[in-house]
C-alpha cells in the first residue's frame, strides 16, 4: 500500500480522473479551498444525503426540516457571537508572507535550528508565537492575530455598516431564528428537532487536505429541543444514532473514534461535546460533532430580537426556554471519509488494480450492464433490454458499451459499482443467462435471466 501522502494523492487523482471531484475554477488555476463535484461525486453525495434524511427525518415524526436563507440579518451573527468571536489565530511568515493558523504551525525551539527562538505557538491574541514556516522554512517570531472567518458582503446598493451581511458560516442559526415559526405553525411538543442541510462558508486561513478543510462546504445539522432535565437522554440517543448513520454509509467502525472534548476546549455554553474523529490518511481528525448547547442560542436570540422564544408546556403549565442537543455533520467530510475508506489497491489477473470498495448504499451506480462486444447489434439489443428491466427496479444502474470489456470493468471498479452484468453470445444463442461480476473478488457467476433481478437485489441489499 502507498505511503500516507501518496494515498491522498491517489484518491484526489482518482476523483479527477473518473469525474467525482474537480478543483474549483480549475481552468483559471483554481480558487483555493473550493471544489466542484462531477457526475459521480454528485451521485455519491446525493446517496449520503438521502440516507441521512431517511434516518434522521423521513422515518420519524419529531423532526422539522427548514431551508433558511444563506444571507441573514447581521444581528443574527451578533447574537450568536460569530461577529465578535468566530476567529482563528493567525500568524504571517516574515519572509514569504504566507499566512497560517497559529495552532497548526510547527513550533520551534533553540535546538531545532539554532535560531535562538523558543516557545509554543499559542492561540491567544497578542501573544508571541515562535514557529517555522512550512512553505519556506523561515524561523519566525510573530504576534498572533485573530482572523474572523466569516465572508462579509453588503446587501443592496448602499455599502455601509447597516448593509453588512455574511455568507453563513454554519447552518445552525437558520434553525434558531425559525424556532418560533415552527412552534406557531407545527405546534410540536418537546422533545422535537429541526434539521437543515445547506452550504456554509468559512474563510479558512489554510484550506487543506482536499475536501477536509475547504472554504465552501455543506453541513447537515439538527437542533434538538429538549426539557432541561432530559438533555442527557437525548444526547446519548443521538450519540448512538450518529454511529448508526456512519454504519449506514459503510464507514469502518474501527476507524471512527469518540473524543470527549475537555471543558477547556469546549465552547463556553457547552456542557458536553463529543467529537467523532476519523482516521484520515493525514491523521485522526474531526468528522462530526455532538454538543449540548444548553439554552444559550434561544436565549441570545430572544435577548437580541426582543421576541419571546420560550416554550409553554401544556402538561406542567410551565414556560421555559428549551435546551438544545446539536448533532452536526459535514457532508463533504463524509464524502472524503467514505472515499478514504473505500480506496483499495490490489492485484487482479496479474495486474495492479484500483477500486472503490463502496457500500452499495452510497455507490453512484449499483449495477452496470454491458454487451460483451460493441459491434454486434444483437448483443446490444439484448443488453439494452436487460438494462431497461433492471433500471426500472434498481435505480442508479449504468449502461456502458464504450471500449473493450476489460476497460469497462476497470472503470466500474474505480467508480465503485458493486456488480457488472454482461450479455454475451451464450445469452442470445443458448438462452443461458448473463454473467454477473463481483467488484471486490472479480469473480463471475452465470445467472439465469429470470433470476437476475432477485439475485442483484439480494447482493446489493
Ligand atoms: P474544525 O475544528 O475542523 O475546524 P469545527 O469544530 O470548527 O471544525 P464545526 O463548527 O463543529 O467544526 O462544524 C460542524 C462540522 O462541519 C464539522 O464537524 C465538519 O464536519 C464540518 N466542517 C467544519 N469546517 C469545515 C471546513 N472548513 N471544510 C469542510 N467541512 C467543515
Amino acid at each position: 500500500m502507498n505511503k500516507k501522502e501518496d494515498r491522498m494523492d491517489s484518491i484526489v487523482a482518482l476523483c479527477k480522473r473518473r469525474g467525482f471531484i474537480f478543483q474549483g475554477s480549475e481552468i483559471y488555476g483554481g480558487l483555493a479551498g473550493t471544489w466542484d463535484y462531477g457526475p459521480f461525486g454528485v451521485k455519491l453525495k446525493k446517496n449520503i444525503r438521502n440516507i441521512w434524511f431517511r434516518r434522521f427525518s423521513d422515518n420519524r415524526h419529531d423532526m422539522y426540516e427548514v431551508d433558511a436563507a444563506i444571507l441573514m440579518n447581521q444581528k443574527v451573527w451578533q447574537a450568536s457571537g460569530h461577529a465578535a468571536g468566530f476567529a482563528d489565530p493567525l500568524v504571517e511568515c516574515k519572509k514569504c508572507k504566507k499566512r497560517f493558523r497559529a495552532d497548526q504551525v510547527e513550533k520551534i525551539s533553540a535546538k531545532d535550528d539554532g535560531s535562538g527562538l523558543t516557545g509554543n505557538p499559542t492561540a491567544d491574541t497578542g501573544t508571541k508565537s515562535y514557529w517555522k514556516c512550512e512553505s519556506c522554512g523561515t524561523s519566525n517570531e510573530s504576534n498572533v492575530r485573530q482572523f474572523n472567518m466569516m465572508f462579509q458582503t453588503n446587501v443592496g446598493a448602499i455599502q455601509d455598516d447597516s448593509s453588512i451581511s455574511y455568507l453563513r458560516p454554519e447552518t445552525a442559526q437558520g434553525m434558531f431564528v425559525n424556532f418560533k415559526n415552527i412552534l406557531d405553525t407545527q405546534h410540536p411538543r418537546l422533545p422535537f428537532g429541526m434539521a437543515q442541510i445547506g452550504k456554509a462558508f468559512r474563510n479558512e486561513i489554510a484550506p487543506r487536505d482536499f475536501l477536509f478543510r475547504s472554504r465552501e462546504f455543506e453541513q447537515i445539522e439538527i437542533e434538538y429541543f429538549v426539557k432541561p432535565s432530559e438533555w442527557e437522554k437525548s444526547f446519548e440517543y443521538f450519540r448512538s444514532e450518529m454511529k448508526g448513520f456512519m454504519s449506514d454509509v459503510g464507514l469502518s467502525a474501527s476507524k471512527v473514534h469518540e473524543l470527549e472534548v475537555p471543558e477547556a476546549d469546549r465552547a463556553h455554553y457547552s456542557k458536553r461535546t463529543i467529537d467523532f474523529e476519523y482516521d484520515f490518511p493525514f491523521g485522526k481528525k474531526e468528522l462530526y460533532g455532538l454538543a449540548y448547547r444548553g439554552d444559550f442560542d434561544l436565549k441570545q436570540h430572544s435577548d437580541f430580537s426582543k421576541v419571546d422564544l420560550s416554550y409553554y408546556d401544556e402538561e406542567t403549565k410551565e414556560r421555559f426556554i428549551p435546551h438544545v442537543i446539536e448533532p452536526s455533520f459535514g457532508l463533504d467530510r463524509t464524502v472524503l471519509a467514505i472515499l478514504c475508506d473505500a480506496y483499495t489497491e490490489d492485484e487482479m489477473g496479474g495486474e495492479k488494480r484500483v477500486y472503490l470498495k463502496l457500500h452499495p448504499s452510497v455507490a453512484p451506480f449499483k449495477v452496470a450492464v454491458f454487451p460483451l462486444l460493441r459491434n454486434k447489434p444483437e448483443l446490444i439489443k439484448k443488453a439494452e433490454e436487460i438494462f431497461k428491466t433492471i433500471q426500472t427496479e434498481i435505480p442508479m444502474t449504468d449502461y456502458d458499451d464504450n471500449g473493450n470489456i476489460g476497460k469497462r470493468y476497470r472503470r466500474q471498479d474505480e467508480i465503485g459499482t458493486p456488480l457488472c452484468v454482461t450479455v454475451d453470445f451464450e445469452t442470445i444463442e443458448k438462452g443461458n443467462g448473463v454473467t454477473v461480476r463481483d467488484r471486490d473478488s472479480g469473480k463471475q457467476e452465470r445467472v439465469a435471466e429470470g433470476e437476475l433481478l432477485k439475485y442483484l437485489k439480494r447482493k446489493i441489499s
Side-chain angles (χ1 to χ4, degrees), residues 128-371:
K128 289 248 186 268
S129 174
Y130 306 96
W131 60 286
K132 189 175 215 133
C133 176
E134 69 176 35
S135 181
C136 71
T138 301
S139 298
N140 283 283
E141 175 186 2
S142 335
N143 284 321
V144 178
R145 287 201 281 132
Q146 291 295 313
F147 174 76
N148 194 304
M149 293 198 290
M150 287 203 292
F151 283 99
Q152 188 176 312
T153 187
N154 291 83
V155 173
I158 297 170
Q159 302 212 344
D160 61 13
D161 284 354
S162 69
S163 68
I164 289 174
S165 184
Y166 307 91
L167 299 184
R168 67 180 175 207
E170 60 173 34
T171 53
Q173 302 305 323
M175 291 181 270
F176 296 126
V177 301
N178 278 293
F179 174 76
K180 190 167 170 0
N181 285 332
I182 295 301
L183 282 189
D184 293 349
T185 59
Q186 314 295 313
H187 312 290
R189 265 180 300 170
L190 290 180
F192 72 91
M194 293 175 69
Q196 173 164 233
I197 183 171
K199 289 266 183 162
F201 303 82
R202 296 182 187 179
N203 199 0
E204 296 279 358
I205 295 167
R208 58 180 61 201
D209 298 322
F210 196 24
L211 303 175
F212 181 81
R213 189 168 300 289
S214 44
R215 290 183 168 137
E216 174 175 342
F217 52 96
E218 245 175 310
Q219 289 186 317
I220 325 183
E221 295 189 296
I222 292 175
E223 307 304 331
Y224 200 72
F225 302 97
V226 299
K227 290 184 184 170
S229 60
E230 292 179 356
W231 75 269
E232 271 166 313
K233 195 169 79 186
S234 294
F235 192 94
E236 285 308 323
Y237 169 77
F238 278 107
R239 183 182 186 176
S240 123
E241 283 295 292
M242 290 174 88
K243 286 194 269 193
F245 168 71
M246 289 182 248
S247 148
D248 291 347
V249 294
L251 285 180
S252 310
S254 61
K255 291 189 179 162
V256 177
H257 310 277
E258 288 185 31
L259 172 78
E260 189 74 55
V261 180
E263 195 176 348
D265 297 341
R266 287 198 303 258
H268 60 279
Y269 48 79
S270 173
K271 295 207 176 68
R272 190 172 176 200
T273 298
I274 287 178
D275 281 352
F276 288 91
E277 298 186 316
Y278 179 80
D279 290 325
F280 289 100
F282 43 87
K284 190 162 79 168
K285 297 271 164 73
E286 175 179 331
L287 181 61
Y288 309 136
L290 172 64
Y292 169 42
R293 302 177 66 107
D295 60 5
F296 176 79
D297 307 277
L298 290 180
K299 253 199 175 136
Q300 285 291 103
H301 286 301
S302 277
D303 287 352
F304 276 70
S305 66
K306 310 282 178 246
V307 173
D308 179 13
L309 298 180
S310 63
Y311 169 88
Y312 183 70
D313 189 329
E314 300 282 355
E315 280 164 29
T316 61
K317 311 285 177 218
E318 281 173 322
R319 183 169 278 288
F320 59 93
I321 301 258
H323 283 204
V324 171
I325 305 293
E326 181 190 69
S328 180
F329 300 74
L331 188 49
D332 310 85
R333 280 193 192 173
T334 312
V335 170
L336 181 59
I338 287 174
L339 288 171
C340 293
D341 222 299
Y343 183 87
T344 313
E345 291 177 4
D346 68 357
E347 242 184 62
M348 191 168 276
E351 276 186 35
K352 236 184 100 185
R353 163 176 92 132
V354 169
Y355 71 105
L356 288 184
K357 203 173 177 169
L358 292 173
H359 192 284
S361 65
V362 295
F365 289 119
K366 319 299 174 194
V367 180
V369 181
F370 317 143

Side-chain angles (χ1 to χ4, degrees), residues 419-422 432-438 441-448 452 455 458-459:
L419 300 166
C420 291
V421 171
T422 302
N432 195 15
V434 293
T435 65
V436 181
R437 176 184 176 273
D438 176 83
S441 67
K443 288 210 178 93
Q444 297 186 27
E445 266 189 77
R446 268 214 109 76
V447 180
L452 186 59
Y455 177 94
R458 179 166 51 80
K459 285 271 187 180

Side-chain angles (χ1 to χ4, degrees), residues 383-394 449 453:
E384 281 177 350
E385 185 190 302
I386 290 183
F387 163 68
K388 283 195 186 115
T389 313
I390 299 176
Q391 200 191 30
T392 46
E393 294 277 327
I394 305 175
E449 256 191 85
L453 270 176

